[in-house]
Each structure stands twice: as structure tokens, then as C-alpha cells.
Amino acid sequence: MNSMSCLLSFQLWSATNVPVSLNPWNISTNFLCSEIKMSPVKTPTETELRIRKILKTLNQLIPPRPFTHMNTTTSATHSTVTILNPRDTYCRGDQLDILLEAKDHLGHRKEYGGDFLRARMSSPALKAGASGKVTDFNNGTYLVSFTLFWEGQVSLSLLLIHPSEGVSALWRARNQGYDKIMFKGKFVNGTSQVFTECGLTLNSSSELCTYLYGRDQEAFYCKKPQHMPCEALTYMSSRNREISYLSVKEKSLFHKVIHKSEKSTEKCQIGMKIPVPGGYTLQGRWITTFCNQIQLDTNNINGCLKGKLIYLLGDSTICQWIYYLPKVVKTLKFFDLHETGSFPKRLLLDAGRHTQIQWKKHGFPIITHNLYSVTDEAYIPREIDLISGDKNTAIAITFGHHFRPFPIDLFIRRAISIQKAIERLLLRNPDIKVIIKTENIREMHVETEWFGDFHGYIHYLILNDIFKDLNVGVIDAWDMTIAYGTNNLHPPDHVIRTQINMFLSYIC
């Protein structure tokens, strides 16, 4: 066995702030009246019951932790880490366990858990990295486990992103309302153009246009312009509102403070369960731990894509794929769909190899200051219901970042709708391959209350629960981007290459 020396320049950081129809909606109008009408009590649907169950689990995972004083919150400086059962040498494949004892700013041991931590092992000289697994004992202690995947010296870091009191505050604020984002809809009727307020909920006595998505009838609303039909809604944009559900005292928890001290041989297949961590980086490459990933060069990629029909459904983090692929597959060309707006559909074609790859943005909510067309809204469950194909058809799906400013039930409902649509698809076409890409980690200095990675981690847990029994592949971009240490919503090309390589390993 090869020995591994561990350079334990251990870092405990504290960081914060840190084919398509032209109209996919069922449209109706409604009025909000002062007269109250009594209606019979409705039995909750299966979806509503699942949402309640998931919310109950999450609320137990994130109990209220009232914030009284900064001194009683977790301190990276005062907390201690201990290597469990240390050895002089370690072998590749061994597990290195660290015990974290969380203490507050007065040096007192914390009596409860809930801190949002991120663990990473790296060897910069080897361009190697991997995430660590954090187990919360809910008593102020945490077990952090690292698998030693490569030979050489390693540095271990444990990032305290938010103390449990901050996590509790973010969770409460996340679910307090839908009004952090203001949507504006542009209605076009001939030469007339009108902008009106839109949203996931609208408290208005005005006549409303109601746009219903999918079988579960998820709704989006716009104030109806005078003398224009609801079908005239053509473009959408959004603005952030100057609103916060955090108290002044709670906001002090999110001031940026940083303290540094500075495999299986089986081929990757759809339906495999992914451990944590599911891989690591070495010499800049992502190496899976649970399956034998194909390392594709340009020739292999060409052969893999031949005859494939690929749908990429989601946000700009998967749209990056469609811009990267022509850099390595020169025969792939963009097809001009003559569309306007900041989120047009993207289509790559290789007629000689009968390859077609298309990207569509997911349906509401899309957060952008730029106007974008709503006539090609790709509400993912509906898109899946329209897909037919065979073993040469593949779908990659990602969503989450645009859902972060809204109460969590919106994300849960969408995830369940997508799960149901995938189940229907696989009943019709069991040979179609479906891959779920989780969210990337992102910049730590964005608006923490709205877009911080705590919300992304909650999405990560929800997706793992909802899709765990589906016969789908998973690209654990959360794990990958932690290992690469990118901290960028749109990571660089070498990370995009890794994600695409994992996708192709599933479908080829």
C-alpha cells in the first residue's frame, strides 16, 4: 500500500455573504371581491400531503434558534477540531475523521447543532480536491469525514458559512413571503404595448390573468391590462425589491468575517446511488468513486453524440453546456431560431451525425432585469410530457437558483411535478435516459438572505429525497463545485467539461 502523508494545515473559516406550442399556459381571468363566499373544505391532494411531509422534515432539521447576542453564536476562532485515531501515515482509500467541537465567542461549548458547514480536502499542487461529509450530532459536535483518494500532502478546510442562529433566521425569512422579487409583464397587441405587475401571488383587487402550468395547475398571475386579452402577454422581466425579513440584529450575523489558519469498476449507469462524496478532483480531472466514468476525448464525444437527441432543460448553468460543446465538437453548429430576449432557445445541430441538442429555460420564476420571451416558456413537466423517443434520447434537467428567493413550497411543488412527469415518461419510453443535475455552489458575497448557498443546500436535500427512487442519473454538481472550490454560479470551462463528461458517461 502506498502511504499518504497528511499536511494538516487545517483551516476553520467563518464566512458569510458569502416540439413546442406558442402558448404553454392555460389562461383565465379572475377578480378579487370583497364578498366572502363559503366553500366546502377540500381534501388535500397527494402533492399537498407530500409538500407538508417534506416541510415537516425540514422544520425539524432547522428548528428555531432565537438570536440574542453575537457572543452566543458559533465562533470559528474558539471552536476546536481533533483528528480521531491519528496515524503517522495513511493509505490511499483510508478515511480520515475529524471531530469538530463548536464553541461560542465566549469559549463556551455549544449545546445544539445546526451550523451550516462546508468541508473540503485539497492538494493545490496536484490540482486535487474533494468534499468532506459532515454529520451533525445536534449537541454542538460534528463528525467530518474525508476519504483519502490520492497520494500526497493534503490540506483540510472546514468553512463555517452560517452559525445555527443565522441558519434559523434565513429559513424563517425564506418562507415569509413571495414579494422579494417584482415581475413585470409586457403585453403586446398590434402596435400597443402595456406593462403590468405580475407575480406568483398578487394582492390586488384588479382583474387578474391567471396562467396555469401543468397537471398540478401551478399558477402565475398578471394584472390584466384594459382592452387587451391575457394571451397578449409576450415578455417578462424582474426587479429585486428593497425588502428584508431579517431584523437589524440578525443581519449582523451575515457580515463577512474570514479567519484563516491556513472505485468501483462498474460503468456509470442510470439509477446508481451516489455516495457523499461521489468523487474528487486530481490534476484538474473529476474522478468518480462509485462507478467507472468514461474519459471522453473529442473523437469519443463525436461517437457518443452520433444519432442523439438531447434536451437540456433548466437555467443558465446548464445553458453553459450548449456553449461549451461546439468548442470541442467543431461539427456542432448553432441553429438560428430568430428569437429575441435574454433567454432564447438554443439549438445545436450536426446534420452529418444526426445529432440535435437543444436548451430551453425552465418556466417561472425566471429572475432577470432583461426582458425575455414568455411564448417559448419551457415549463419542465409539460416539456417532459411532450417528449417521445428511444434509447438515443436523453434529457438533462437542472433548476433551483431562480427559486431561492421564494418560500420553499414553490420549489418542492415543482420538484414533485417534475418527478411525476419523469415517471410518466419512463412508463411511455423506458429507454429514454434522464439525468438530474444539482445546483452549483456560488459566490459567497451575493445577497445571502435571497440567494445564499444555504438555500441551495436545502434544495439539494429535497432533490435527493424526491428523486431517490427514480431510475435517473445524477450529476452531483454541488459536490463537484465544492471539490473544485469554484464558488462561482457559472464555473469555468474545465468544470463544465467535467459535468458534460459525467452526462456522456451515463448516455453512451
Side-chain angles (χ1 to χ4, degrees):
M1 295 291 287
N2 293 315
S3 65
M4 169 180 282
S5 61
C6 293
L7 175 63
L8 294 176
S9 55
F10 196 91
Q11 306 168 16
L12 181 61
W13 297 0
S14 171
T16 52
N17 260 353
V18 257
V20 176
S21 101
L22 290 179
N23 198 330
W25 289 328
N26 297 316
I27 303 174
S28 63
T29 61
N30 67 292
F31 299 85
L32 297 180
C33 305
S34 57
E35 179 184 358
I36 298 176
K37 296 183 178 180
M38 301 300 292
S39 58
V41 176
K42 294 183 179 179
T43 302
T45 64
E46 177 191 356
T47 296
E48 294 295 338
L49 291 173
R50 289 188 68 189
I51 291 173
R52 292 179 191 179
K53 182 179 178 181
I54 293 172
L55 280 173
K56 181 180 179 181
T57 301
L58 291 172
N59 285 326
Q60 291 171 342
L61 183 67
I62 315 168
R65 300 293 185 200
F67 174 46
T68 55
H69 195 278
M70 185 66 73
N71 284 343
T72 63
T73 65
T74 307
S75 164
T77 302
H78 290 87
S79 297
T80 59
V81 292
T82 305
I83 301 176
L84 298 180
N85 303 314
R87 290 181 257 162
D88 293 333
T89 59
Y90 290 83
C91 296
R92 188 171 59 188
D94 285 351
Q95 182 168 299
L96 177 63
D97 290 327
I98 304 292
L99 183 68
L100 167 64
E101 188 173 43
K103 297 181 180 180
D104 63 23
H105 289 264
L106 299 176
H108 299 147
R109 162 81 176 273
K110 294 291 290 285
E111 296 181 353
Y112 50 84
D115 298 315
F116 182 31
L117 304 167
R118 180 178 293 162
R120 183 172 184 258
M121 174 179 67
S122 63
S123 295
L126 299 174
K127 298 181 181 179
S131 64
K133 181 180 180 180
V134 179
T135 302
D136 185 352
F137 294 122
N138 297 309
N139 61 1
T141 60
Y142 302 83
L143 178 66
V144 186
S145 301
F146 297 95
T147 302
L148 304 176
F149 292 114
W150 61 87
E151 295 182 49
Q153 293 183 328
V154 298
S155 292
L156 308 177
S157 70
L158 188 56
L159 185 66
L160 173 62
I161 299 181
H162 304 306
S164 54
E165 294 81 4
V167 167
S168 176
L170 289 174
W171 183 240
R172 190 202 71 247
R174 165 75 184 265
N175 294 295
Q176 203 153 332
Y178 285 87
D179 50 359
K180 299 184 186 76
I181 308 295
M182 176 180 65
F183 293 90
K184 285 289 184 182
K186 182 179 180 181
F187 290 75
V188 179
N189 190 3
T191 58
S192 299
Q193 299 180 359
V194 178
F195 286 88
T196 73
E197 183 181 359
C198 302
L200 297 157
T201 61
L202 284 180
N203 183 16
S204 173
S205 59
S206 302
E207 183 180 358
L208 301 180
C209 293
T210 303
Y211 302 92
L212 298 175
Y213 284 79
R215 301 189 180 198
D216 287 321
Q217 300 289 278
E218 295 183 60
F220 190 82
Y221 305 93
C222 288
K223 291 182 180 178
K224 185 180 182 300
Q226 289 186 345
H227 313 302
M228 277 198 185
C230 293
E231 290 83 357
L233 177 62
T234 307
Y235 297 99
M236 189 75 64
S237 65
S238 70
R239 294 290 187 275
N240 298 344
R241 281 195 172 103
E242 295 297 325
I243 186 173
S244 174
Y245 294 115
L246 298 175
S247 68
V248 174
K249 181 186 288 187
E250 286 172 335
K251 288 180 181 179
S252 68
L253 285 165
F254 306 107
H255 292 161
K256 182 188 173 188
V257 181
I258 297 182
H259 300 287
K260 285 190 183 181
S261 64
E262 266 245 325
K263 172 170 199 163
S264 166
T265 59
E266 186 179 3
K267 179 187 178 298
C268 300
Q269 297 180 47
I270 298 294
M272 283 184 162
K273 304 303 178 186
I274 300 182
V276 177
Y280 59 98
T281 67
L282 182 62
Q283 299 298 340
R285 282 176 42 207
W286 176 256
I287 300 173
T288 54
T289 59
F290 63 96
C291 64
N292 186 14
Q293 180 183 0
I294 301 172
Q295 297 297 331
L296 296 171
D297 57 24
T298 300
N299 291 331
N300 288 336
I301 292 176
N302 280 327
C304 173
L305 291 178
K306 185 176 181 180
K308 292 291 193 299
L309 173 59
I310 297 173
Y311 299 90
L312 306 179
L313 304 176
D315 55 31
S316 57
T317 67
I318 204 167
C319 185
Q320 285 185 275
W321 293 15
I322 213 164
Y323 285 106
Y324 177 81
L325 280 167
K327 297 179 183 180
V328 292
V329 183
K330 303 300 183 181
T331 55
L332 284 171
K333 304 296 181 184
F334 279 109
F335 179 72
D336 186 5
L337 296 177
H338 302 289
E339 295 189 353
T340 59
S342 60
F343 287 94
K345 286 180 291 190
R346 301 297 183 192
L347 182 66
L348 289 174
L349 291 176
D350 182 345
R353 291 184 173 84
H354 304 287
T355 301
Q356 178 176 319
I357 305 170
Q358 64 170 277
W359 170 78
K360 294 182 183 179
K361 67 180 182 297
H362 64 65
F364 76 96
I366 294 288
I367 300 171
T368 173
H369 287 194
N370 300 318
L371 282 175
Y372 64 90
S373 172
V374 301
T375 58
D376 64 331
E377 281 286 343
Y379 176 66
I380 293 177
R382 182 179 180 278
E383 290 295 319
I384 294 172
D385 282 338
L386 293 174
I387 290 173
S388 60
D390 54 25
K391 64 181 181 180
N392 288 318
T393 303
I395 308 168
I397 300 167
T398 192
F399 62 107
H401 284 282
H402 291 262
F403 290 75
R404 290 188 180 189
F406 303 105
I408 197 67
D409 62 311
L410 176 70
F411 180 80
I412 298 172
R413 186 181 301 276
R414 185 65 54 84
I416 292 173
S417 295
I418 291 171
Q419 176 225 341
K420 290 180 177 178
I422 292 172
E423 288 177 340
R424 294 191 294 269
L425 172 70
L426 295 179
L427 283 174
R428 300 192 310 270
N429 307 96
D431 293 330
I432 291 179
K433 296 180 175 65
V434 181
I435 292 89
I436 306 295
K437 172 192 165 296
T438 63
E439 294 174 45
N440 305 330
I441 62 171
R442 62 172 303 161
E443 301 81 358
M444 293 187 184
H445 312 306
V446 295
E447 186 68 56
T448 303
E449 181 182 347
W450 293 11
F451 296 105
D453 271 346
F454 163 70
H455 303 307
Y457 181 64
I458 295 301
H459 290 174
Y460 181 74
L461 296 178
I462 290 168
L463 290 184
N464 285 342
D465 180 67
I466 289 177
F467 291 98
K468 64 184 177 183
D469 295 324
L470 272 184
N471 189 34
V472 299
V474 175
I475 298 173
D476 196 338
W478 187 266
D479 194 20
M480 286 179 178
T481 49
I482 289 176
Y484 277 107
T486 54
N487 294 314
N488 193 324
L489 173 61
H490 299 107
D493 277 357
H494 67 276
V495 179
I496 300 304
R497 179 180 68 243
T498 290
Q499 295 176 356
I500 292 173
N501 196 61
M502 192 71 212
F503 172 72
L504 296 178
S505 291
Y506 278 130
I507 71 172
C508 297

